[in-house]
Amino acid sequence: MKFTLSWLKDHLDTEADLDTVVATLTAIGLEVEGVENAAEKLKPFTIAEVLTASPHPQADKLQVLTVDAGTGETIQVVCGAANARAGLKGVFGAPGAYVPGSDLTLKVAAIRGVESRGMMCSIRELELGDEHEGIIDLPADAPVGVNYAEWAGLDDPVIDVSVTPNRQDAMGVRGIARDLAAAGLGTLKPLAVAPIEGPAPAPEIVIEDEAGCPAYFGQNVDGVTNGPAPAWMQRRLRAIGQRPISALVDITNYIMIDVGRPLHVYDRAKVRGRTIVRRARPGETFLALNGKTYTLDETMTSIADETHTHDIGGIMGGEDSGVAEDTRDVLIECAYFEPEHVALTGQKLGLTSDARQRFERGVDPAFLEDGLAMATRMVVELCGGTPSPVTRAGSPPVEPRFVDYDPIRAERLGGLAVPAERQAETLEKLGFSVDRSGESWRIEVPSWRRDVIGSADIVEEVLRIEGLDKLPSTPLPRAPGVARPTATPAQLIERKARRAAAARGLNEAVTWSFISEAEAEPFGGSAWVLANPISEELKVMRPSLLPGLLAAARRNLARGAETVRLFEVGRRYLGDKEHPTIGILLAGDKPRHWRRSGGRGFDAFDVKAEALAILAEAGAPVGNLQVLGDAAGVYHPGQSGRLGLGPKMILAEFGALHPRILKAFDLDGGAVAAELFLDAIPAKRASGHMRPAYAPPALQPVRRDFAFLVPADLAGGDLVRAVRGADKAAIVTAELFDVFTGQGVPEGRKSLAIEVVLQPTEKSFTDEDLKAISDRIVAAAAKLGATLRA
Amino acid sequence: MTNEIDPLKRDWLARIEAAADLPALEAERVAALGKQGEISALLKTLGAMTPEQRQTEGPKIHALREAVTEAIAARKAALEAAELERRLATERVDMTLPVDAGAQGSVHPVSQVMDELAEIFADMGFAVATGPEIEDDWHNFTALNIPESHPARAMHDTFYFEQRDQAGHRMLLRTHTSPVQIRTMQGQKPPIYIIAPGRTYRSDSDATHTPMFHQVEGLVIDKGITMAHLKWTLETFLKAYFEREDIVLRLRPSYFPFTEPSAEVDVGYHLKDGRRVLGGTDHWMELLGSGMVHPRVIEACGLDPAEWQGFAFGCGIDRLAMLKYGMDDLRAFFDGDSRWLKHYGFSALDVPTLSGGVGA
């Protein structure tokens, strides 16, 4: 919402300077987004008279002028404007002046061999409008040598205020003035609008859609002359960025900005018969003033004549019935449209306008009479014509609204103690009526504040005018002692897992939660497709963390990265719910190192190691985890697995990625990946801080190696588990340390070597004990087809 | 006899000194002190001596034996030391060769800042709450006093799904962390002291906006909580987070449908080497939205606004990270560029603690 300082002073009697006004506006909740003064940038430009104008000796389209700019000397200026002539008074910029509309600084120059010491400017060059037909042609009485901007009344700062959606009243200069007056910056001038009526025939208005438009007041004016609006009005409108069009249009715009009251003027020559406020017909098309055609539906309020729609209620008028230069007879509309209704219609049509912004916030329902009188009066004053009586169809919702309020609330809720007297004073200045006779106050809310519904709103009014800078800082109550731990088990798992991953040399990335449909497809597709995605690339919620990491890896490798070790802690969005997950991706080549030999690519065991280490830190019982087959299809079928406590308790998937996926993500080298399902990690039983009792065994452990020949397709993990289970009391660990095929190992078999650690408890093992354990191990292994290697 | 001892000693000491290696030294030891050795033989002569002779010769011969024994031990140590030197010389390795330092891992700044927030607010008695990112429009809007036609709903640039929940509410991506307020108030009895950090979404994308970003919500519902507590909480939080005492807040009246009164919170900053540094009052920037929870919101959650009241605030986490750690490009947060992650990321051991300082 833009307005000028002088416009504000039409409504506010104040001595306050610009800085005070600006600071106060922001302090009371009308945030100033910018202040601009056209006069500031036009300081170097003065009124000058052209003394002589003669043809340029070298150029047909140029003239050589001599100019009197009130400096006491005659200045020679080369000028290309056709309207430059002796005796013209215009606006002169001397060398050194910055011309804002052309973005150049003037200097003494020779133009086609003739020296030019400045410039006579056009409207556009001074950023005062679009006109560039010739140089500015001022009235003959314009005083030479005087600062142009000052003389032209341009020294009027424009203030741009951001009005929050709750403040219907601040969408007009008068409402802003009222706020400033309440804040102590002067007094609000009275606004007296005398009704105006005349003998012209009154409009016929029928409201069929009372829900959308409870009230429609209209008045005809016959025999108007629609020329340009007066200069003062044009200047103000232009200053705030509105393009002056014609007196009739400018009057409605002016009143809308001035008092926040949108109006519409119809050319009656283009309308047939009665004005009908009805629901639009489904599929009805409407050519709006912005030149675009809209298709309406039966939920929208239309202002129509006997044939078709001329206005979308509260949003925009139609091209058909708009006023033009030749308009003679008009209907002025001052209506009340239901705010929610206007908002929904505007959203549906994707059409916004100054009128909609006001109607959807709510215009003052008690101002229809005055708003219409203001408009009619101004039309008659500026365009002539004869007014009609006012036709009032329907009635605006003006029932008084009351809020019960205890002034102690300012302190109890707002935290700021404000004397009751002062609160009442502030509220009254804002237009509230305060009845202090009862135990608690009964406050009548002004018709222009539909946002105020309860005592909290009253507290806000008091606080914002009093100044939030006065608010004390009061510590929250604090429980005695040291702060209590607050993290939930799920949060602790996530924190530990994240830092475990980082400690293992993985870099945490945060990638988009949405991916493309194509990226989601190999991961089973997405259960959640955005209806209004920002692009095809960010369209569906990810079913896996891997697509985002794969895309990030591809970008890294494309930038020349050698090794990519990424992880992400985030959610997978499945049909049932959102699942906290860690994704890990290793791609590219391992860095070369003089102590290492062999291939440089990552393999499934690299990522299995990461997965197990992170799961362990996250508190998963990794000792009990089994590697199960059947990882998702995005993995290499022979080099992947699921880590679980059973087929229904899967904690992670890992492996080399399927070549199909690598190709889809444009990763030439290999890549290995894992996903850890954090919400599948079983909760630890709360056992307090006390650990189970423990005394280190007094006796030394005994180590024994076993080499087995097993069927080539036997899973090593199965053999290890069988061995470990052979004697649960004596065997503390069984670790596979060698896998061998080749010389000495028959075809179809492989050799697996396992080191078993036996821990004696009471007494050392005898040879017989060891033999018995050893036999049990061999017997357990034999069940899997393993034979002890000779 | 006496005259024979001294030359003998000189002779043996010379022979020992001349032994070139351990075997040669051993041969000398046997020759001198072995069963058949010369000095052993000399010792045996003591038995045949008269007591007087033994009185004078005994000490001399023993002294000779001791001197030779010591010389052998000394020579042996020297030879062994030399031998060790020789062996060590052959074991020389180029110690300038690089070790395998392992890969440098990192924690994303957003995660780090979330941990910092959790730590600071835990000290003030706040727990961390979470909620779904795929929300329904009741939790995201209606319960927060943003009815369907409300202009604020349009301002939110919401991402929608076609799905509806069982109650018929349209599913969407939460546009703010505020629905966690609703879920928390519905799910637990007051007093409530929580923060809710997490991902949020708006269909907005330009140099300073990304369609996904991070917010933290704060909510206090208790008895007798006022806006003055809100101010203190924000001041205390920002001072702790930026680890500066000169943080100055400016509350400006504003509007959020779910708070009343509402305030935008500006924080003062100054420029240092062309970068914005928080602290002081040279300039102001908008950092938080806040206010007293709207009675309608409290009611919508099934609580009595006459009994319970409190405040809520919201703040961009990415922004907090940028202001503290100096990143200037929001888009880079979500690109996964390893170089950026290593530069702006944090060590696994940079766990924010109150005693160590929450900043890293």
Side-chain angles (χ1 to χ4, degrees), chain B residues 199-220:
Chain B
R199 293 186 180 200
T200 48
Y201 306 86
R202 293 190 193 184
S203 62
D204 195 359
S205 187
D206 58 36
T208 53
H209 296 87
T210 48
M212 178 185 93
F213 55 102
H214 296 85
Q215 264 194 356
V216 62
E217 192 82 5
L219 174 71
V220 170

Side-chain angles (χ1 to χ4, degrees), chain A residues 340 412 414 457 460 471 473 491 499 507-508 513 527 531-532 555-556 559 568 571 573 578 594 596, chain B residues 98 100 106 108 111-112 128 131 133-134 149 158 160 163 199 201 231 235 260 262 309 335-336 338-339:
Chain A
E340 284 71 22
R412 295 262 168 88
D457 302 295
E460 176 167 83
L471 200 61
S473 198
Q491 288 163 5
R499 290 187 185 272
N507 301 110
E508 187 186 9
S513 302
N532 57 336
R555 289 194 296 273
N556 274 292
R559 290 181 188 122
E568 178 167 7
R571 301 179 183 184
Y573 306 87
E578 299 164 23
W594 60 275
R596 244 192 331 260
Chain B
D100 184 356
S106 56
H108 196 282
S111 305
Q112 182 74 16
V128 174
E133 294 164 23
I134 297 175
S149 63
T158 313
Y160 285 100
Q163 286 102 316
R199 293 186 180 200
Y201 306 86
K231 188 177 178 190
E235 271 172 5
E260 190 75 40
S262 305
Q309 65 184 40
D335 185 65
S338 302
R339 299 165 300 181

Side-chain angles (χ1 to χ4, degrees), chain B residues 249-311:
Chain B
L249 298 191
R250 187 174 74 175
L251 270 64
R252 256 186 308 109
S254 188
Y255 169 72
F256 305 104
F258 36 97
T259 50
E260 190 75 40
S262 305
E264 295 254 29
V265 182
D266 297 339
V267 58
Y269 71 92
H270 57 279
L271 293 171
K272 198 176 171 196
D273 305 327
R275 300 226 265 191
R276 288 175 168 196
V277 178
L278 290 215
T281 55
D282 290 359
H283 308 278
W284 298 96
M285 72 169 89
E286 209 174 291
L287 191 63
L288 294 118
S290 68
M292 302 305 294
V293 180
H294 199 291
R296 282 186 179 172
V297 174
I298 294 178
E299 241 164 33
C301 298
L303 297 174
D304 179 4
E307 185 181 5
W308 301 104
Q309 65 184 40
F311 62 77

Side-chain angles (χ1 to χ4, degrees), chain B residues 124-192:
Chain B
M124 294 195 271
F126 288 64
V128 174
T130 54
E133 294 164 23
I134 297 175
E135 262 295 0
D136 58 75
D137 63 1
W138 189 85
H139 283 95
N140 195 73
F141 289 127
T142 313
L144 288 160
N145 196 31
I146 313 176
E148 196 150 333
S149 63
H150 201 289
R153 223 186 245 220
M155 281 159 60
H156 272 230
D157 300 319
T158 313
F159 283 116
Y160 285 100
F161 298 103
E162 293 298 350
Q163 286 102 316
R164 290 177 183 272
D165 69 4
Q166 284 168 351
H169 299 125
R170 182 95 185 255
M171 300 305 285
L172 47 76
L173 281 176
R174 67 178 179 192
T175 57
H176 45 189
T177 39
S178 307
V180 184
Q181 285 186 32
I182 304 298
R183 291 186 178 275
T184 307
M185 279 190 268
Q186 286 182 318
Q188 74 182 77
K189 286 203 168 72
I192 292 169

Side-chain angles (χ1 to χ4, degrees), chain A residues 757-782:
Chain A
V757 178
L758 307 168
Q759 179 61 56
T761 48
E762 310 286 276
K763 57 183 180 60
S764 299
F765 293 119
T766 62
D767 286 349
E768 291 76 39
D769 291 338
L770 290 174
K771 168 120 191 357
I773 294 168
S774 182
D775 288 348
R776 279 197 289 276
I777 289 173
V778 172

Side-chain angles (χ1 to χ4, degrees), chain A residues 454-710:
Chain A
S455 64
D457 302 295
I458 301 290
V459 171
E460 176 167 83
E461 293 306 299
V462 170
L463 246 64
R464 73 181 178 90
I465 298 297
E466 195 65 26
L468 285 180
D469 54 325
K470 293 186 185 147
L471 200 61
S473 198
T474 307
L476 281 176
R478 192 187 166 104
V482 171
R484 313 274 195 288
T486 58
T488 63
Q491 288 163 5
L492 290 174
I493 284 178
E494 198 174 298
R495 279 192 206 172
K496 283 184 177 172
R498 169 182 292 116
R499 290 187 185 272
R504 292 189 60 88
L506 295 162
N507 301 110
E508 187 186 9
V510 175
T511 70
W512 305 121
S513 302
F514 19 51
I515 58 178
S516 74
E517 272 183 308
E519 286 172 323
E521 192 274 326
F523 294 86
S526 172
W528 298 96
V529 180
L530 287 173
N532 57 336
I534 206 160
S535 73
E536 284 299 310
E537 297 306 302
L538 307 174
K539 187 174 180 184
V540 304
M541 300 308 286
R542 61 185 183 193
S544 159
L545 268 56
L546 299 185
L549 292 174
L550 282 162
R554 179 186 59 224
R555 289 194 296 273
N556 274 292
L557 294 170
R559 290 181 188 122
E562 183 186 37
T563 313
V564 180
R565 301 171 54 87
L566 293 175
F567 78 103
E568 178 167 7
V569 185
R571 301 179 183 184
R572 288 174 300 134
Y573 306 87
L574 304 187
D576 63 339
K577 58 177 183 156
E578 299 164 23
H579 297 270
T581 306
I582 291 190
I584 303 169
L585 187 85
L586 309 176
D589 290 330
K590 292 175 191 165
R592 283 182 289 199
H593 193 261
W594 60 275
R595 297 180 72 185
R596 244 192 331 260
S597 58
R600 294 179 56 203
F602 290 101
D603 63 28
F605 291 102
D606 291 317
V607 78
K608 183 185 178 188
E610 303 300 345
L612 286 170
I614 296 165
L615 283 173
E617 289 297 338
V622 286
N624 301 332
L625 283 182
Q626 301 176 36
V627 178
L628 303 155
D630 296 330
V634 296
Y635 291 101
H636 187 303
Q639 295 179 16
S640 62
R642 296 183 299 159
L643 291 167
L645 295 163
K648 294 202 168 151
M649 281 277 279
I650 301 301
L651 270 49
E653 277 190 336
F654 72 95
L657 287 166
H658 198 289
R660 187 161 34 87
I661 293 293
L662 297 175
K663 189 160 176 250
F665 283 86
D666 246 343
L667 284 168
D668 294 337
V672 298
E675 277 191 292
L676 317 183
F677 311 129
L678 297 182
D679 54 350
I681 296 175
K684 279 195 180 161
R685 259 174 267 128
S687 54
H689 295 293
M690 203 71 86
R691 306 288 170 93
Y694 179 74
L699 299 169
Q700 272 201 18
V702 177
R703 292 167 198 280
R704 287 287 184 273
D705 290 350
F706 295 83
F708 293 105
L709 284 174
V710 303

Side-chain angles (χ1 to χ4, degrees), chain B residues 322-336:
Chain B
M322 290 166 93
L323 287 171
K324 183 167 178 176
Y325 293 111
M327 310 81 162
D328 53 9
D329 180 10
L330 177 61
R331 306 199 68 85
F333 276 60
F334 310 119
D335 185 65

